[in-house]
Amino acid sequence: MVGSTVGVPETMSSVELANGKSVVVSEENYFDPTAVVAEPVPPVAETAVTADGHGDGALEMNTEKEREIVLGRNVHTTCLAVTEPDADDESTGDKEAYMASVLARYRKSLMERTKQHLGYPYNLDFDYGALAQLQHFSINNLGDPFIESNYGVHSRQFEVGVLDWFARLWEIEKDQYWGYITNCGTEGNLHGILVGREVFPDGILYASKESHYSVFKAARMYRMECVKVETLVTGEIDCGNFKTKLLPNREKPAIINVNIGTTVKGAVDDLDLVIQTLEECGYSHNRFYIHCDGALFGLMMPFVKRAPKVSFKKPIGSVSVSGHKFVGCPMPCGVQLTRLEHVNALSRNVEYLASRDATIMGSRNGHAPIFLWYTLNRKGYKGFQKEVQKCLRNAHYLKDRLRQAGISAMLNELSSTVVFERPRDEEFVRRWQLACERNMAHVVVMPSVTIEKLDDFVDELVQGRAVWYKDDEIQPPCLAQDLGSENCSCPLHS
């Protein structure tokens, strides 16, 4: 009971507690659930200043300031502030008009940036207009893809259809595999290595030094002992060095990451030779687990006749592939397949879901399986085969043009990733969105990369080099150690 009490000032009230005692509180501090807070939001953050000195138009980058990568400190180069609508916004519609203009400018910037997109393995040639009708639904595939949960707005029927398609591709029967649609390629690696760790809790993880960074992230996350293996100049695992790393640890099981296309050079590890090396070191098939990271080339290799086959008929444990790379989904996603017998080691019943949980994430994007299902149905095996041939043909074209222009360049036999000397101008690198490492850069030739785009790129690169190396004091970098002397066009090896 709250009310005025004898001996209590008018600005104070006596509040009776549950234990029968009373306390006196100030009315100005007493919580009134009907009261309206005068200022419900924090102050607006400062608007990002662009290169021309204005705070408006935050989509433009400040190109005058050198880009920084600083650990432990956020560097805000651009920012689209979230602002509160005006009190009369419902009648004026100013907020809607503002947001529409921002989105229109953003769409324009996406179109422009897509024109110069070469360094990252994304297929930007797709049209999913038919699926726009599904954007109004919150589709969530939580739990096990093969067990219906209490949540009914899902796309498991599409997910399982996609998984069955990949099971046929990688040669494993429906009743022998388990898998799910992941949120990205990294999640596929995290899950594959986690399954290996659960099967062999005391196992050692082996991965070539040119493996994707997510493999070593998994080792840190799971507190696994990890051994880095040397690579050949092509980027594939050096099985001779692999053997020297295995022999001292024969008492412990081996968990191996095999790359079906490395990040920088697109190198494909020789799966058969890896298995042979394990056998030569005394490892029986029940003492090792192989995860195949096929992020990009895992979907391309089956359509290259001379390529080594990735198949569950071989003693591998899991395969993962990205859905937003060669397939061409507009959102990051991936596919992870493992043997059904292995996944039981980490799955748990979840009463809340009325399902089993064996995935990395809880909630999973239910839209991604539909996009994958849609494009797999449209293209099929023959459609992907044509796109693979086109990519390999255009990659050879790019490599030949670069070498003819006197530029160091390398292309692995089974790859569409062309590695070449890193451009000296960082603005050129950003303009073409190139991925770089040391003195190397690369172009990943995807189905959306045309001959015309490659010609524009090479022409601009040749013009740039004429400026960068016009003085004899500056010479193109030597890439003999990175790409092999036969692929290096520096003054020493040309």
Side-chain angles (χ1 to χ4, degrees):
M1 175 180 175
V2 180
S4 298
T5 306
V6 177
V8 178
E10 294 183 1
T11 58
M12 308 291 284
S13 297
S14 175
V15 179
E16 185 176 328
L17 302 178
N19 60 9
K21 296 182 179 181
S22 298
V23 295
V24 177
V25 298
S26 168
E27 288 184 354
E28 63 182 9
N29 292 328
Y30 182 69
F31 173 69
D32 180 359
T34 64
V36 178
V37 181
E39 183 57 51
V41 295
V44 177
E46 293 183 7
T47 305
V49 178
T50 55
D52 58 4
H54 297 290
D56 190 19
L59 290 173
E60 288 77 20
M61 290 285 290
N62 183 351
T63 56
E64 294 180 359
K65 185 177 180 181
E66 186 176 349
R67 188 172 56 167
E68 298 178 272
I69 300 177
V70 183
L71 294 177
R73 178 162 64 90
N74 292 335
V75 181
H76 290 252
T77 53
T78 62
C79 173
L80 277 172
V82 176
T83 59
E84 292 298 308
D86 296 332
D88 61 346
D89 188 62
E90 291 185 4
S91 60
T92 63
D94 289 344
K95 186 74 170 183
E96 293 295 328
Y98 162 73
M99 291 191 294
S101 68
V102 169
L103 292 175
R105 283 185 292 149
Y106 178 59
R107 182 177 185 276
K108 183 179 179 181
S109 72
L110 291 178
M111 294 174 65
E112 290 299 318
R113 298 307 287 135
T114 298
K115 293 178 182 177
Q116 282 87 29
H117 185 281
L118 286 178
Y120 295 88
Y122 304 129
N123 181 6
L124 304 180
D125 184 17
F126 53 77
D127 181 3
Y128 292 103
L131 303 184
Q133 58 186 311
L134 304 178
Q135 66 179 344
H136 304 290
F137 300 97
S138 178
I139 309 175
N140 191 332
N141 286 3
L142 41 79
D144 191 308
F146 302 92
I147 302 175
E148 182 114 5
S149 75
N150 290 336
Y151 186 76
V153 188
H154 62 78
S155 63
R156 285 188 183 83
Q157 61 273 52
F158 294 92
E159 183 172 21
V160 174
V162 171
L163 295 173
D164 283 349
W165 190 91
F166 279 95
R168 291 195 302 273
L169 187 70
W170 293 325
E171 299 183 320
I172 186 169
E173 297 299 324
K174 291 182 180 180
D175 60 350
Q176 294 179 0
Y177 86 86
W178 185 92
Y180 73 106
I181 305 300
T182 63
N183 290 308
C184 60
T186 288
E187 186 181 352
N189 287 340
L190 292 177
H191 190 274
I193 294 171
L194 177 61
V195 174
R197 200 279 307 270
E198 293 299 288
V199 173
F200 298 118
D202 60 338
I204 297 176
L205 175 62
Y206 297 87
S208 81
K209 66 179 184 180
E210 296 197 31
S211 299
H212 191 260
Y213 65 85
S214 61
V215 174
F216 306 108
K217 177 192 289 188
R220 294 194 304 271
M221 290 176 64
Y222 305 146
R223 296 289 191 267
M224 298 174 67
E225 183 180 352
C226 181
V227 175
K228 286 188 178 181
V229 182
E230 295 298 318
T231 56
L232 305 176
V233 71
T234 58
E236 64 184 275
I237 190 170
D238 182 347
C239 282
N241 184 255
F242 181 40
K243 178 180 286 189
T244 64
K245 299 292 176 66
L246 279 172
L247 289 173
N249 301 304
R250 279 179 294 184
E251 74 284 356
K252 289 188 176 182
I255 302 166
I256 307 97
N257 177 77
V258 169
N259 296 302
I260 313 301
T262 56
T263 309
V264 176
K265 297 180 180 179
V268 177
D269 291 342
D270 190 330
L271 175 59
D272 295 331
L273 186 56
V274 168
I275 295 171
Q276 179 184 326
T277 302
L278 286 160
E279 293 171 343
E280 289 175 354
C281 292
Y283 286 83
S284 57
H285 289 185
N286 62 351
R287 293 191 60 246
F288 65 80
Y289 179 100
I290 295 176
H291 169 67
C292 297
D293 176 11
L296 171 60
F297 295 108
L299 185 53
M300 297 177 67
M301 289 302 97
F303 304 108
V304 180
K305 290 183 179 180
R306 61 186 181 278
K309 181 173 286 190
V310 176
S311 169
F312 278 94
K313 291 182 178 180
K314 301 177 181 180
I316 64 174
S318 54
V319 184
S320 63
V321 66
S322 295
H324 56 287
K325 292 180 179 174
F326 192 78
V327 178
C329 270
M331 74 283 286
C333 61
V335 175
Q336 160 71 357
L337 255 62
T338 186
R339 297 181 186 274
L340 182 61
E341 62 186 277
H342 292 331
V343 81
N344 290 328
L346 68 125
S347 61
R348 301 290 184 273
N349 288 329
V350 182
E351 183 180 3
Y352 172 75
L353 303 179
S355 181
R356 284 183 68 79
D357 175 50
T359 64
I360 297 290
M361 302 297 175
S363 292
R364 293 187 289 109
N365 187 338
H367 289 270
I370 304 173
F371 280 77
L372 288 169
W373 176 88
Y374 183 81
T375 195
L376 292 179
N377 271 285
R378 289 192 66 185
K379 295 180 180 179
Y381 292 113
K382 290 184 178 179
F384 283 115
Q385 185 175 33
K386 289 181 180 178
E387 290 193 336
V388 168
Q389 293 171 349
K390 172 188 173 184
C391 291
L392 296 179
R393 184 170 59 250
N394 289 354
H396 279 277
Y397 174 82
L398 173 60
K399 186 259 294 182
D400 291 342
R401 277 220 59 191
L402 290 170
R403 295 303 302 273
Q404 290 167 7
I407 302 172
S408 301
M410 181 188 76
L411 173 63
N412 276 309
E413 181 186 5
L414 304 174
S415 177
S416 68
T417 299
V418 181
V419 191
F420 56 97
E421 69 176 48
R422 180 175 185 160
R424 283 188 58 83
D425 183 9
E426 287 303 309
E427 182 54 37
F428 180 92
V429 170
R430 284 194 291 271
R431 169 176 161 77
W432 287 99
Q433 302 169 63
L434 302 178
C436 301
E437 185 176 277
R438 300 190 302 277
N439 286 326
M440 297 177 290
H442 75 199
V443 163
V444 184
V445 180
M446 300 298 286
S448 55
V449 175
T450 64
I451 291 292
E452 291 73 23
K453 181 182 286 191
L454 294 176
D455 281 337
D456 290 343
F457 169 75
V458 174
D459 291 344
E460 189 173 322
L461 178 60
V462 170
Q463 292 174 9
R465 293 178 85 253
V467 176
W468 308 332
Y469 303 121
K470 64 180 179 181
D471 299 325
D472 292 336
E473 297 178 2
I474 302 176
Q475 297 289 339
C478 176
L479 293 181
Q481 186 174 357
D482 294 307
L483 307 182
S485 57
E486 69 278 11
N487 297 311
C488 182
S489 298
C490 76
L492 182 62
H493 296 98
S494 59

